[in-house]
Amino acid sequence: MKDFSLLSVDPSGARRGRIETAYSTIETPVFMPVGTQATVKTLTPRDLAEMDTRIILGNTYHLYLRPGHERIERLGGLHKFMNWQGSILTDSGGYQVFSHSQLRKITEDGVRFQSYIDGSYHDLSPEKSMEVQRALGSDIVMAFDECPPYPAAPEYVRKSMDMTTRWAERCLRVELQPHQTLFGIVQGGMDAGLRREHAHTLGELDFNGYAIGGLSVGEPKHILYEMARVTAAELPVEKPRYLMGVGKPEDLVECVLRGIDMFDCVLPTRNARNGQLFVRSGRLNLRNAKFGEDELPPDPECGCYTCRNFTRAYLRHLQMADEMLGAHLNTIHNVFYYLDLMAGIRKAIERGNFMEFRREFYDLRGEPLPEDEFSG
């Protein structure tokens, strides 16, 4: 990351910024489609570029296991390997280790885990995570962290947080490629005090940016929003803030309000493959029989390729027939919807009327505004 510029701040506190990397200019707030295994499922790089996608995610854990970071490096790095001209953020592998908890053992040195592919054993340390991400050549590298489960005992959360700090310091000592920058990850469970403490501690380590990890792991929505708010408020104003693994469209709106600049989630791509489309009025489930002869596009107000060319009836047919084209067209729409939502958010912040945008977002869905500290 060459630079982060904070361009404007809405009266509500929502932020509008810009990130410059060696590969692209990223307008924030931004949603980053997830390309776990060097592909955003069902989409080509051309599809993504036509939607003006500037940055996607790759997954350190999965690419380390298959095809291997050393092979990707020999083949010219992840950008060349997948023929992606935009920016790439790679996560550290910490969350995947968390999600495969039955296959791993955590120590101060790092994590020993068992491959879900062939059962082989591997060691992933902060230094190893940096080595893998350096070889991949991603633009934004994530520090290695431990993601505690929810719920977790306070003593465990404190111990995990302190170890994540020590791991972060070890990550900072590893030299990356000249174009790469490193983000620290704030943990602290669902304890506001620990979140503030860890944000302050990592803020003093002077990372290029900061992520908020360990959320969207089963906690109630109001706790997710509160942890995002209290953590973001403690992070350096001049650095980008990334909320990992979140979320639903309403989560993006609510967490932009709480000071977040960057998001990722598998939801738009995963739901597309299951026949669920995100539209301005909420969601469409293509398996619903009422769409069998519906000649409307998924969203009449949407400008994506799918909505310009296909009906709900046709998309339902593809879904019920389990045709691959259905997953492709659905994913085009859902990713476009997310990117378009973020573009609307950016325009609202520039105009200084984000709260009006937020109200209209819920009105279109036929939902009341959330009852929270911003009500009224």
Side-chain angles (χ1 to χ4, degrees):
M1 186 178 73
K2 294 180 181 178
D3 192 27
F4 172 70
S5 304
L6 185 59
L7 303 179
S8 60
V9 179
D10 184 81
S12 67
R15 293 153 47 103
R16 168 78 172 90
R18 179 173 295 141
I19 297 172
E20 299 279 355
T21 78
Y23 284 86
S24 70
T25 298
I26 303 157
E27 306 294 341
T28 68
V30 64
F31 177 81
M32 303 177 285
V34 176
T36 299
Q37 302 195 76
T39 173
V40 177
K41 293 187 188 301
T42 82
L43 299 184
T44 67
R46 183 176 65 184
D47 295 326
L48 292 164
E50 288 176 350
M51 290 187 273
D52 198 27
T53 307
R54 307 289 182 89
I55 181 171
I56 63 173
L57 262 70
N59 187 275
T60 296
Y61 172 89
H62 289 283
L63 294 174
Y64 163 75
L65 290 176
R66 182 174 56 196
H69 62 291
E70 293 171 333
R71 173 171 290 175
I72 291 176
E73 185 175 34
R74 288 194 299 271
L75 293 170
L78 190 54
H79 291 87
K80 183 179 179 182
F81 183 59
M82 65 184 295
N83 192 30
W84 173 243
Q85 307 303 315
S87 300
I88 300 174
L89 181 151
T90 45
D91 60 13
S92 68
Y95 180 79
Q96 281 65 41
V97 168
F98 155 77
S99 63
H100 293 89
S101 58
Q102 72 279 12
L103 302 176
R104 50 85 165 155
K105 179 180 179 181
I106 301 172
T107 68
E108 183 68 32
D109 289 336
V111 180
R112 165 155 284 201
F113 67 92
Q114 191 174 4
S115 168
Y116 71 95
I117 298 171
D118 60 11
S120 57
Y121 285 91
H122 303 265
D123 294 304
L124 190 60
S125 65
E127 293 78 9
K128 184 68 173 182
S129 176
M130 296 300 98
E131 174 192 327
V132 174
Q133 294 182 78
R134 182 177 60 211
L136 295 175
S138 55
D139 302 272
I140 299 176
V141 170
M142 303 305 300
F144 192 60
D145 66 322
E146 187 198 356
C147 178
Y150 174 81
E155 316 82 63
Y156 181 90
V157 175
R158 158 64 74 176
K159 181 180 178 182
S160 171
M161 184 188 81
D162 290 342
M163 186 165 63
T164 291
T165 300
R166 294 190 293 273
W167 285 358
E169 293 169 340
R170 287 163 59 183
C171 289
L172 281 167
R173 291 195 287 268
V174 178
E175 184 177 357
L176 299 172
Q177 293 192 46
H179 76 280
Q180 293 183 304
T181 54
L182 182 62
F183 279 29
I185 303 179
V186 179
Q187 293 290 351
M190 308 305 155
D191 185 310
L194 290 182
R195 286 281 176 181
R196 292 189 180 97
E197 177 185 338
H198 203 220
H200 179 75
T201 299
L202 292 190
E204 293 188 329
L205 294 180
D206 197 30
F207 284 94
N208 299 108
Y210 294 89
I212 303 173
L215 296 178
S216 195
V217 292
E219 75 279 3
K221 188 78 73 176
H222 72 277
I223 294 180
L224 162 64
Y225 294 161
E226 178 64 8
M227 293 304 101
R229 183 186 69 80
V230 300
T231 307
E234 294 297 321
L235 291 172
V237 172
E238 72 279 6
K239 301 289 180 70
R241 305 163 178 170
Y242 164 32
L243 181 56
M244 306 181 77
V246 178
K248 297 177 181 177
E250 61 269 25
D251 297 338
L252 306 187
V253 172
E254 291 305 310
C255 292
V256 163
L257 180 58
R258 289 156 174 84
I260 304 299
D261 305 306
M262 305 168 69
F263 302 86
D264 81 282
C265 190
V266 299
L267 210 59
T269 48
R270 177 182 292 169
N271 284 25
R273 298 193 301 277
N274 293 325
Q276 188 173 87
L277 303 183
F278 294 96
V279 295
R280 284 167 174 74
S281 59
R283 301 186 191 184
L284 298 182
N285 183 352
L286 292 174
R287 292 189 174 275
N288 194 317
K290 71 179 182 180
F291 297 124
E293 297 188 16
D294 193 331
E295 297 184 87
L296 287 174
D299 187 336
E301 301 299 318
C302 178
C304 79
Y305 171 77
T306 301
C307 287
R308 294 197 316 268
N309 292 279
F310 302 99
T311 66
R312 297 172 179 178
Y314 181 63
L315 296 175
R316 181 178 190 276
H317 159 68
L318 294 177
Q319 188 69 34
M320 301 309 292
D322 199 25
E323 283 288 346
M324 289 185 288
L325 178 59
H328 175 61
L329 295 176
N330 294 348
T331 305
I332 286 175
H333 170 77
N334 276 358
V335 171
F336 184 97
Y337 170 86
Y338 268 66
L339 298 178
D340 190 55
L341 173 63
M342 302 312 291
I345 286 173
R346 291 192 296 270
K347 289 178 183 176
I349 296 172
E350 290 168 3
R351 293 192 300 261
N353 64 352
F354 178 74
M355 295 302 277
E356 181 181 330
F357 176 93
R358 179 186 183 229
R359 180 176 296 278
E360 183 178 346
F361 171 83
Y362 285 104
D363 285 346
L364 288 170
R365 294 157 64 99
E367 299 173 359
L369 282 169
E371 294 185 4
D372 53 28
E373 67 271 25
F374 300 99
S375 298

